[in-house]
Amino acid sequence: MRECAVPAPVVRGRFAPSPSGRMHLGNVWCALLAWLSVRSQQGVMVLRIEDLDTGRCRPEYADRLMDDLRWLGLDWDEGPGAAQPDGPYYQSQCAPLYRRALEQVAGAARVYPCYCSRADLHAASAPHRADGTVLYAGRCRNLDAEQRAQLEAAGRRPALRVTVPDRDVAFTDGLCGPMTQNLARECGDFLLRRSDGVFAYQLAVVTDDGRMGINQVVRGRDLLDSTPRQIWLQECLGLPQPAYYHTPLLCAPDGRRLSKREKDLDMGALRSRFSPRQLTGRLAALAGLVPPGTQCTPAQLVDVFDWNKIGRDDVLISDW
């Protein structure tokens, strides 16, 4: 009897922006590549609004962001304004989900209160990685009940950290290749909830990707370093590991990666200077998908998209 082939799982990808300001060219670059990867595999595109920090994120920014995506021709199958089988799609509405996830992590690893201020974390004696990143030294890991009570009496509000194991986490990124990080030496105990009660990005994104069935994550290379700790949290929560693609960053002529402070390259300025076809064509040319000068829609790029065409090095932006 001939064995039946097992169908490949449907690709479920997402674009998960933070509405803390107007999208810039680098955000659009990532959105386009994530969208093309999903559409080229006949998958499901999810839009999630990562507005955990309600002090910086505003509803009007989220509305403008979605308008910019529609202007470009980047649609989504699930999320605000579309089907919502795995809602909420705004992280600001998900605190009960993150609270349950935190409890589950606490059942698999040691979670403890941390009273360190920003100055404590950046003290000269704090351990640093080779790239200058500060590692948490474990200052609050072994505080006893009396010491914690004294700190709280002095007005210190604790954050919550999780103790990471001394082990390597390895994965293969679709663009960056094999990656390995030792959690204890290169990451350190990290936050699950801030001292103001806001749940940390690492816990929120893992929880949301798991409940939404996301199996392909396309995002900027600046988040590559977060992936090992997210994979470990997935293990703690019993969640599957998505495929990861960390895209090259778009950089200003002086080498700085683009940010929302670059007002000349945010979507307000870009929409005043380019049509959707012009902007899409310029980004597609940076990705090596079309010749320079091409004007096109995202839909016209689906058949030519291939991850093997995307360069591995950060892209210097000039003549914009």
Side-chain angles (χ1 to χ4, degrees):
M1 180 181 296
R2 180 182 299 174
E3 294 185 2
C4 296
V6 177
V10 174
V11 170
R12 291 181 58 84
R14 45 80 158 177
F15 179 53
S18 174
S20 57
R22 196 74 182 264
M23 280 199 303
H24 60 69
L25 191 65
N27 302 137
V28 179
W29 158 264
C30 187
L32 176 63
L33 294 179
W35 187 92
L36 288 173
S37 184
V38 168
R39 295 297 182 225
S40 67
Q41 299 174 82
Q42 296 78 51
V44 176
M45 188 68 193
V46 178
L47 176 66
R48 183 171 72 231
I49 305 299
E50 298 198 338
D51 58 345
L52 277 172
D53 190 342
T54 55
R56 296 176 60 243
C57 299
R58 301 178 184 175
E60 59 267 30
Y61 291 162
D63 292 341
R64 179 61 63 86
L65 184 153
M66 289 184 278
D67 180 69
D68 286 336
L69 291 174
R70 295 187 185 100
W71 179 83
L72 284 161
L74 299 175
D75 61 351
W76 53 96
D77 305 300
E78 296 179 12
Q84 300 191 30
D86 299 309
Y89 289 85
Y90 288 83
Q91 287 188 332
S92 59
Q93 301 172 6
C94 297
L97 301 176
Y98 304 145
R99 193 172 298 113
R100 288 198 292 271
L102 176 61
E103 293 170 355
Q104 190 172 346
V105 173
R110 184 186 173 200
V111 174
Y112 62 91
C114 174
Y115 300 86
C116 293
S117 66
R118 185 178 298 273
D120 293 333
L121 296 176
H122 291 272
S125 59
H128 289 66
R129 294 191 328 195
D131 64 0
T133 303
V134 177
L135 293 179
Y136 182 65
R139 175 176 175 174
C140 295
R141 189 184 300 139
N142 297 314
L143 294 177
D144 59 31
E146 183 179 353
Q147 290 170 315
R148 291 198 296 270
Q150 289 174 349
L151 287 166
E152 292 183 16
R156 291 284 186 102
R157 298 175 59 187
L160 291 178
R161 288 187 185 271
V162 61
T163 303
V164 299
D166 185 4
R167 55 164 280 201
D168 291 343
V169 173
F171 68 102
T172 300
D173 187 81
L175 278 174
C176 301
M179 307 294 298
T180 302
Q181 184 184 86
N182 181 278
L183 292 176
R185 293 195 304 269
E186 301 176 73
C187 169
D189 298 353
F190 58 90
L191 291 178
L192 296 181
R193 196 182 68 196
R194 299 184 339 195
S195 61
D196 61 2
V198 174
F199 289 94
Y201 166 78
Q202 309 294 354
L203 180 67
V205 71
V206 167
T207 302
D208 290 335
D209 283 345
R211 70 185 177 85
M212 293 178 180
I214 301 300
N215 55 21
Q216 182 183 98
V217 173
V218 177
R219 59 191 182 189
R221 190 174 295 162
D222 53 324
L223 291 170
L224 180 64
D225 187 62
S226 292
T227 307
R229 73 194 79 172
Q230 291 177 13
I231 291 173
W232 179 67
L233 283 177
Q234 289 157 6
E235 294 175 7
C236 291
L237 294 169
L239 298 173
Q241 178 182 322
Y244 289 98
Y245 293 81
H246 286 86
T247 65
L249 302 178
L250 300 189
C251 298
D254 61 2
R256 291 176 296 107
R257 69 183 180 91
L258 300 185
S259 73
K260 289 172 181 172
R261 292 186 297 271
E262 309 288 341
K263 296 297 184 182
D264 56 331
L265 290 176
D266 75 11
M267 279 300 293
L270 293 169
R271 285 180 66 160
S272 71
R273 293 161 55 195
F274 303 111
S275 70
R277 290 172 55 87
Q278 288 173 322
L279 183 54
T280 300
R282 290 173 74 97
L283 286 170
L286 291 178
L289 301 177
V290 297
T294 301
Q295 297 186 27
C296 57
T297 65
Q300 291 172 322
L301 296 170
V302 171
D303 290 341
V304 301
F305 179 80
D306 187 330
W307 279 114
N308 291 321
K309 297 178 181 179
I310 308 300
R312 272 52 177 173
D313 298 326
D314 291 345
V315 181
L316 198 65
I317 299 299
S318 60
D319 301 326
W320 279 76

